[in-house]
Amino acid sequence: MGRIFGRNGMKGLAVTEITCELAMQTGRAVAHILSGKDSRAKFLIAKDTRSSSDALESALCAGICSVGADAELLGEIPASALAWNIREKGADGGIMITASHVNTDYNGIKLFSPKGYRLDDETENEIERLITESPQEIAPVQLKEYGRVIRCENAIECYIERISEIAGADLKGLKIAVDCANGCTSTVAEGLFKSLGAEVVVMGNSPDRTNINTSGSIHIESLMDFVTENKCVCGIAFDGSGERCLAVDENGSLVDGDIIIALCARNMKKHDKLNNNTILATQANNLSLIQFAKANDIEVITAPVGERSMVQKMLECDCSIGGDPSGHIIFPDEMPNADGMLTGIRLLEILKKSGETMSSLSAIIEKFPQVMLNVPIGKKFCEIWKNDRVITNLIEKFEDILGGEGRIIVRETGKEPVIRIRVEGRDFSAINDMAIKIADTIKERTEV
C-alpha cells in the first residue's frame, strides 16, 4: 500500500478507497498513539454532510472503542468547531471526516492533536506505520471494559460562542449573501451573521447528503449572480468543511484569498495586531501579495501549501495571519485552524468600517497574470529532472529576465508524477511563451 496520508490528511473515493476497514484501523491506531492520560482517553469525531460520512464515523468509533477509549460524536459541524471543542473539552485528539472542497464521491479523514492543531508529521507517520506495516501491534486484545460512544449535544453552541466572543463585529447595515456549499456551515452561518447585525440572504444551505460543494467557494459562479440579483454589498462562500472562505464584491467579481489576506494584514498592522509585522504565504499565492507586503513594509514568510505546514510555520514564527488564494486563511491567535466564518467576519468588519465598496477595497493589490501548465512524466524521471542542466538553465534564464517583476515555480507533485509549471509576470504574452518553452523542454528531456 502507498502512503495514505497526504499533506491535508487522508482522501479518496468514499468507502471503496477510504474503506470502513481502513477507518476502523485508523481509529484504533489514533487511540493507541494518542491515549496519554491516566484516566480513560476520549476522542472527538465530527463529519461533513456527505452520505458516506455516517459509515466512516461508525467504523472510526469501532476502532477507538476497541482499544478502550471513548468516542464523542459532535455531528455535522465545521472542522474549526471540532478543533475548538478538542481544546475546550480537554480531549486527547480529534478526527474530522471530510474531503473538504472535493465532491461527494470522495471522503477523507483529518487528524487533530489535543491542542486542536493538525497532527505533526512524526505522529502521523507512526499512525500510518501501524495501519499499513505493523497492524499486529494494535490487534484487538481482551479487555475488561471497552470504550463508549457518547453523543455531544452542544458542540456547535460552544463554537458559536467562541466565534462571537473573538469576532466582536458590528455588521449592522450590511446586506450580505452567504453560500454554505451545502456543507457543515449550512445550519450555523445564517444565524451567526444575523446575530452580528447583518441582513442575510443565503444559498447552498440545503444539504441532501449528495450535493456538498455543488456551490460555495469551489463553484463560486452561482454566488456571483446571487449577489447582484439580491443587491448585496458582498457575498461570502465557504467550502464543505467550513475551512475556506472566498468573497464576491457588489458587482459579482471574485475577491480571492490573496486580496482577503492583504486587507486583513493592512487592518491588523494599522491596529498593531500584526505579530512581528509578518504574514505567511505559500507558493500558490499570487506574486502581487508579496509585492503588496513589500510596499507596506510587511515581512513575508513562506510554507508549503496545506494547513498543517502553514500552521506549523506560523506558530514557529509567531505569525498572526497567513493563507492561500483558495481562501484557506488562518488566524492562529484566535483559532487553531482555518475557519471560513471567522475569515468572513473579519472581511465584512473591514468593509463596514471603511465606508467603501468591496470592489474599491479589492484594488488593494493588482493581480499579476499567471500561466499554469502540467507535464506528466514517467516515474523513472521522478526527482531526476531537477538535476537536468538543460531544464534548470532555461528556468534560470527566464528568472533573470523577469527579475523582481515575475516568478517561476516548477515542482513535482502527485502519486502519478506531474510537473506543475507556474509563471507570473506583468506581460502575459511573455510569461505564456516562457511556460510553453519550459513545458516543451521538460517533455523532451523526460521522454522514455
Side-chain angles (χ1 to χ4, degrees), residues 90-293:
D92 293 86
I95 302 174
M96 182 73 192
I97 305 167
T98 183
S100 299
H101 59 287
V102 184
N103 70 44
T104 192
D105 293 335
Y106 291 79
N107 215 327
I109 294 173
K110 297 181 179 181
L111 306 180
F112 292 81
S113 76
K115 293 185 178 180
Y117 298 122
R118 296 293 302 282
L119 284 187
D120 58 73
D121 287 340
E122 182 179 354
T123 306
E124 199 169 82
N125 288 339
E126 178 62 11
I127 289 169
E128 178 158 328
R129 183 190 69 81
L130 291 175
I131 296 170
T132 61
E133 299 176 17
S134 305
Q136 71 280 0
E137 293 183 27
I138 51 171
V141 296
Q142 191 67 38
L143 299 175
K144 289 184 178 181
E145 185 178 2
Y146 297 92
R148 300 168 298 168
V149 176
I150 306 164
R151 296 191 181 276
C152 176
E153 303 296 337
N154 67 340
I156 200 65
E157 288 79 9
C158 176
Y159 164 70
I160 291 176
E161 182 179 338
R162 171 59 181 171
I163 290 293
S164 300
E165 174 191 336
I166 62 178
D170 176 8
L171 304 183
K172 290 177 184 176
L174 297 185
K175 182 180 181 181
I176 65 168
V178 176
D179 186 348
C180 299
N182 295 305
C184 292
T185 61
S186 295
T187 59
V188 297
E190 182 179 8
L192 176 60
F193 285 101
K194 282 184 175 179
S195 73
L196 297 173
E199 180 184 350
V200 182
V201 290
V202 64
M203 62 176 290
N205 64 331
S206 301
D208 63 8
R209 295 168 59 81
T210 64
N211 61 354
I212 191 171
N213 289 317
T214 52
S215 64
S217 63
I218 310 306
H219 298 287
I220 203 165
E221 301 82 9
S222 300
L223 181 61
M224 293 174 171
D225 294 333
F226 193 70
V227 165
T228 56
E229 289 168 2
N230 287 278
K231 296 181 172 56
C232 298
V233 298
C234 185
I236 300 293
F238 308 117
D239 68 348
S241 62
E243 295 169 284
R244 289 171 173 79
C245 175
L246 294 178
V248 171
D249 71 19
E250 75 280 4
N251 300 316
S253 298
L254 176 65
V255 180
D256 70 3
D258 289 318
I259 297 172
I260 296 172
I261 293 168
L263 286 169
C264 290
R266 183 176 68 179
N267 186 62
M268 294 167 77
K269 182 180 175 74
K270 178 181 177 181
H271 293 93
D272 198 27
K273 294 182 178 180
L274 190 65
N275 293 354
N276 293 319
N277 196 39
T278 298
I279 64 172
L280 177 135
T282 72
Q283 287 186 337
N285 292 91
N286 193 277
L287 184 59
S288 59
L289 179 62
I290 313 301
Q291 298 283 42
F292 154 82

Side-chain angles (χ1 to χ4, degrees), residues 9 11 97 112 153 327 360 362 398 404 409 414 437-438 443:
K11 191 178 297 180
I97 305 167
F112 292 81
E153 303 296 337
S360 64
S362 297
F398 289 152
I409 298 172
K437 288 176 182 176
I438 293 171
K443 289 175 185 176

Side-chain angles (χ1 to χ4, degrees), residues 296-322:
N296 287 271
D297 295 320
I298 295 173
E299 299 295 323
V300 179
I301 58 172
T302 59
V305 175
E307 182 177 292
R308 182 172 55 183
S309 300
M310 290 192 290
V311 171
Q312 182 178 346
K313 187 70 171 181
M314 294 173 79
L315 292 176
E316 289 175 359
C317 300
D318 191 23
C319 176
S320 50
I321 183 173

